[in-house]
Amino acid sequence: MHPSMTSGVNVNGRIMKKSLHRAALALTLVVWSLAFSGTSSPRVRGWLNWRGPLFTGVSLERGLPDTVQVGGGNNLWTYKLSGRGTPVIANGKLYAWGYEGTGPDLQEIIVCLDAETGKKIWEHRYNDFLSDIVYDRYAIGSPTVDAETGNVYVTFSSGNFACFSADGKVLWWHWMMEEFGRLTFVNGRTGGPLIEDDLVIIRGVTSNWGSEGPAADRFYAFDKKTGQLVWSSTPGLQPKDNSFAQPAMAWRDGKRVFYTGEGSGNIVCVNARTGQPIWRYPVSAGGFNASVVLHKNKVIGIHNDENLEFPQIGGMVAVNLDATPKPVADGSVPVLDKSAEVWRNELRSISSSPVIVGDLIYQVDFTGNLNCVDANTGKILWDYKLAPDQLHASPTYADGKLYVPMQNGTFYILRPSASGVEELCKVQLEGLCYGAPAIWNGKIYVLTTEKLYCFGRKGNNGRAGVPASPDVPEPPRPKPGPTVALQIIPAEVLLHPGEKVRFTIRGIDANGFPTQTFDPAKAKWERYIPPTARVRAGMEAHFNERGELVADKPSAGAFQATIDGFTGIVRGRILPHLPIYEDFESFTLDVPHETEPGVKFAYPPLAWIGARFKFEVRELDGNKVLAKTLDNIFFQRATVFIGNARMKDYTIEADVRTDGNRRNLSTVGLSNQHYLIALQGNAQTLEVSSNQERIKEYVPFTIQPGVWYRLKARVDVNPDGSGVVRAKAWKKGDPEPEKWTIEVPHKHAHQNGSPGLYGFSPQSQFRVYIDNLAVTPNRP
């Protein structure tokens, strides 16, 4: 058994209460002992992530209610907020992520409340943009609080990843869509960030640039204080789902690792310090969305998709953590074979995660049954019907009881054991339940699509010097070994000509732990081209005498640093200042097409986000143009970003064209400040949108196949935050119309956003083309 694995608290019936009490006292004594010895416990206390202090959905609190009364009794307060996740609590403050409004005025909210009274302390509101989210599927995830700093982290549905101070100040921000090519999906799921010492780790399906151009379920680790990227990781294959499962942390052979299911149907093990995948175990043809749990020497996950080895749908599977993957020589992720599987049963869950207590797993399946599973054998000991179905919400275990919200809004308090379950309370909440309850200081917090509820006991729930929720100290970290490689931070940069960046270079040992810090000025820097690179290009940049990287001209590539024989890699892009012009005539068409014999093309600019495999430069009617690819139906739709996410107050225009016939055409467009301006071929309209259910306005416009049009757009933002999107289109060669073809007002206008390109070829039947692109500032 790995030393850091928590198998849960061994509870059962009457012994359950005694064991919890002993565990709480023991942990409290450990904390007091650490404090007495000079090792302080974390400054911030609370339910800091949606899985709780044990990362298993288990709380060590006692004295929690057996029943709750909605609207009175121990319903201490409610707060009007729509959400689909779990609130978190830190030092008396509650942080919740939700949404408010309808149509174009819908905004996501990160709000801070007094955890005792429900009184609002601060909030921030943000727009969705360029997403595929439907049916108000917003805020499917949770904030996370760092125990060291008290900072709050959240990934919004648009993909924006933010760090806030406890008092609501924005400390840093990443536009994941435009910086790393994060994709959005109709379900809107994001999950919760994970803290690992000095790192904060998030996940998402991204289509970035270069070697990370192909879409994959990727993990990104940022320095939790500065927001600088430390590593990115691709442990799986081409994703079938945008998994949002919370990884489970553990120690393995001296390494700090995490285990999780991912979007291509694998359970994976990844070094949390470096992002290096250690192994993957293929299970499903779809993705894993429920969080895994650890038990003794096993990782246990559950899914609801087709299995790879047999035709049944779904299953709960246990994988042996002591299994050794087969060695690989091609740099791919090592794979565990079938001998690594310990057991499997037929339970199915879409994304409701299991809770493990001792040797018992409690799992709500997709049909609304609560199941008890023997974690040693996988045997289902009993099941209990709670509701017609279940989607996201997971149970939380505390004080010998399960607190279980169901999708239909019912909320249960149950007393489980190995032999069965006793129903203590069942109430109907207003709205639907998609998140797990949070438990802290004698209170249970449940967020629905209508309200945030607080149930429990007023005031401090501790007694006689024993805190209500004992701290769970981490085991001491090993001393680092000798340096074997360099870790360069930030691991990826985005610059404009003339800008510069200074790196932090630290040595890491064989397990990925930092060993020492090096002076960047003493590094030997060389351009680095990966052996598998299809575009063999480098960054047009140089290093000055201080070891700073200075951007020279637009380009993309990597540099390798060498110090004392140790090496490390950094990637980077250099984008042009405004104005931007591109007619594609400088590209050399010398790449033989794999699916069209005799055709040669050129790859799109390497520095563009999301362009790889989706667009290519071809010859058309004697000119070189950017053409939508058709050889992979997964890429029938493509959004490309060609600038910085903070750009604003510009005009974008280009020549655009779609192939097709009078019955079937494709769609081609441009994006400006998070608005999409598109010629909808089949609809015969000029359309302005940002999310199809939030902002979508259009006017009739005749679009003919094989005809070039000029498309032009700008966004004007007023001092009060409102704005107008203006666009026009006309046949290429005709005079430009004086008036805008369409003008769309927006009360909460997007303030900034990268210029971009868009192409949609339904079923990959007909191409779209873009040429003579220009992005110019609206003011000199």
Side-chain angles (χ1 to χ4, degrees), residues 128-131 674-676 688-692 694-696 746 750:
D128 180 28
F129 58 86
L130 297 180
S131 82
H674 296 152
Y675 298 96
L676 174 63
V688 173
S689 65
S690 189
N691 169 288
Q692 291 287 309
R694 306 272 76 79
I695 302 170
K696 181 181 177 181
H746 187 194
H750 305 321

Side-chain angles (χ1 to χ4, degrees), residues 68 120 155 213 268 273 355 384 402 412 493 522 537 555 614 759:
V68 295
K120 183 171 71 175
T155 305
V268 298
R273 299 303 312 171
V355 168
Y384 185 76
L402 283 170
Y412 288 87
V493 296
K522 296 181 179 180
S555 55
K614 300 170 186 175

Side-chain angles (χ1 to χ4, degrees), residues 304-614:
N304 193 51
D305 281 287
E306 184 178 348
N307 290 283
L308 295 177
E309 299 296 326
F310 45 88
Q312 287 87 352
I313 300 296
M316 178 180 280
V317 59
V319 178
N320 183 4
L321 298 182
D322 295 326
T324 302
K326 295 179 180 179
V328 292
D330 59 358
S332 61
V333 179
V335 179
L336 296 179
D337 62 28
K338 292 299 295 182
S339 65
E341 189 169 308
V342 180
W343 55 256
R344 186 185 296 228
N345 64 37
E346 68 275 14
L347 288 182
R348 298 164 58 185
S349 172
I350 298 173
S351 60
S352 182
S353 298
V355 168
I356 188 162
V357 182
D359 290 332
L360 300 180
I361 300 170
Y362 298 110
Q363 173 72 59
V364 181
D365 65 26
F366 83 112
T367 63
N369 286 317
L370 173 65
N371 299 267
C372 178
V373 178
D374 185 327
N376 294 301
T377 66
K379 180 181 179 182
I380 302 171
L381 303 179
W382 52 259
D383 63 76
Y384 185 76
K385 189 68 172 178
L386 297 178
D389 56 18
Q390 183 71 316
L391 185 57
H392 297 316
S394 304
T396 300
Y397 182 91
D399 194 23
K401 298 180 282 286
L402 283 170
Y403 296 86
V404 190
M406 301 301 293
Q407 179 173 262
N408 64 3
T410 55
F411 180 64
Y412 288 87
I413 302 178
L414 308 166
R415 192 183 306 280
S417 69
S419 58
V421 62
E422 177 187 0
E423 184 177 308
L424 303 178
C425 178
K426 175 185 177 182
V427 296
Q428 183 68 42
L429 304 181
E430 185 178 345
L432 307 178
C433 296
Y434 292 98
I439 294 177
W440 188 254
N441 196 25
K443 300 169 185 65
I444 298 99
Y445 302 89
V446 184
L447 178 60
T448 77
T449 55
E450 295 294 334
K451 290 181 178 180
L452 172 59
Y453 292 85
C454 174
F455 301 103
R457 180 189 304 169
K458 290 183 179 180
N460 187 3
N461 197 40
R463 61 179 182 80
V466 178
S469 298
D471 288 326
V472 182
E474 289 189 10
R477 293 186 171 244
K479 293 182 179 180
T483 299
V484 300
L486 303 180
Q487 191 172 61
I488 304 174
I489 304 170
E492 185 170 320
V493 296
L494 172 60
L495 301 170
H496 294 86
E499 295 178 344
K500 60 186 178 182
V501 61
R502 182 175 176 84
F503 297 101
T504 296
I505 302 180
R506 61 190 186 191
I508 56 174
D509 67 9
N511 293 324
F513 292 103
T515 57
Q516 61 188 116
T517 301
F518 294 96
D519 183 355
K522 296 181 179 180
K524 178 184 177 183
W525 295 94
E526 299 175 297
R527 284 188 175 86
Y528 176 79
I529 299 177
T532 58
R534 298 197 180 196
V535 181
R536 304 188 68 79
M539 283 185 72
E540 296 294 333
H542 68 278
F543 287 85
N544 62 21
E545 67 281 357
R546 298 184 61 222
E548 297 170 321
L549 176 65
V550 182
D552 294 330
K553 60 182 182 179
S555 55
F559 278 94
Q560 177 175 274
T562 303
I563 302 177
D564 296 338
F566 308 120
T567 61
I569 306 293
V570 61
R571 291 172 18 122
R573 297 184 296 138
I574 303 172
L575 297 176
H577 295 289
L578 293 182
I580 300 172
Y581 299 103
E582 184 57 76
D583 63 7
F584 306 102
E585 294 301 325
S586 64
F587 286 70
T588 302
L589 309 185
D590 58 0
V591 182
H593 209 288
E594 294 181 358
T595 61
E596 298 180 57
V599 174
K600 291 188 177 182
F601 69 96
Y603 291 107
L606 185 61
W608 288 3
I609 292 291
R612 184 176 179 182
F613 302 129
K614 300 170 186 175

Side-chain angles (χ1 to χ4, degrees), residues 600-674:
K600 291 188 177 182
F601 69 96
Y603 291 107
L606 185 61
W608 288 3
I609 292 291
R612 184 176 179 182
F613 302 129
K614 300 170 186 175
F615 282 95
E616 59 196 17
V617 179
R618 286 177 167 241
E619 185 174 315
L620 179 67
D621 300 332
N623 295 314
K624 295 174 184 176
V625 301
L626 189 70
K628 180 73 184 65
T629 60
L630 299 178
D631 45 316
N632 190 330
I633 197 170
F634 286 107
F635 302 147
Q636 62 181 322
R637 187 179 61 164
T639 300
V640 176
F641 296 105
I642 66 174
N644 190 310
R646 290 174 173 78
M647 292 174 65
K648 58 184 178 180
D649 201 18
Y650 59 83
T651 296
I652 184 170
E653 55 186 305
D655 297 336
V656 297
R657 166 180 159 174
T658 173
D659 284 346
N661 53 51
R662 62 188 182 90
R663 293 183 178 179
N664 194 359
L665 292 168
S666 294
T667 296
V668 61
L670 307 172
S671 58
N672 187 321
Q673 285 189 209
H674 296 152

Side-chain angles (χ1 to χ4, degrees), residues 28-47:
T28 303
L29 290 172
V30 170
V31 174
W32 287 346
S33 174
L34 287 172
F36 184 78
S37 64
T39 303
S40 60
S41 59
R43 176 175 60 86
V44 179
R45 301 185 70 249
W47 191 269

Side-chain angles (χ1 to χ4, degrees), residues 220-261:
Y220 293 86
F222 299 89
D223 184 294
K224 69 182 184 183
K225 294 181 180 179
T226 67
Q228 292 183 317
L229 181 69
V230 178
W231 57 255
S232 60
S233 177
T234 311
L237 304 176
Q238 181 173 294
K240 305 298 191 299
D241 200 356
N242 59 321
S243 174
F244 67 129
Q246 182 87 352
M249 299 296 304
W251 291 91
R252 176 187 176 90
D253 301 328
K255 296 179 176 64
R256 190 63 167 157
V257 303
F258 63 79
Y259 299 93
T260 187

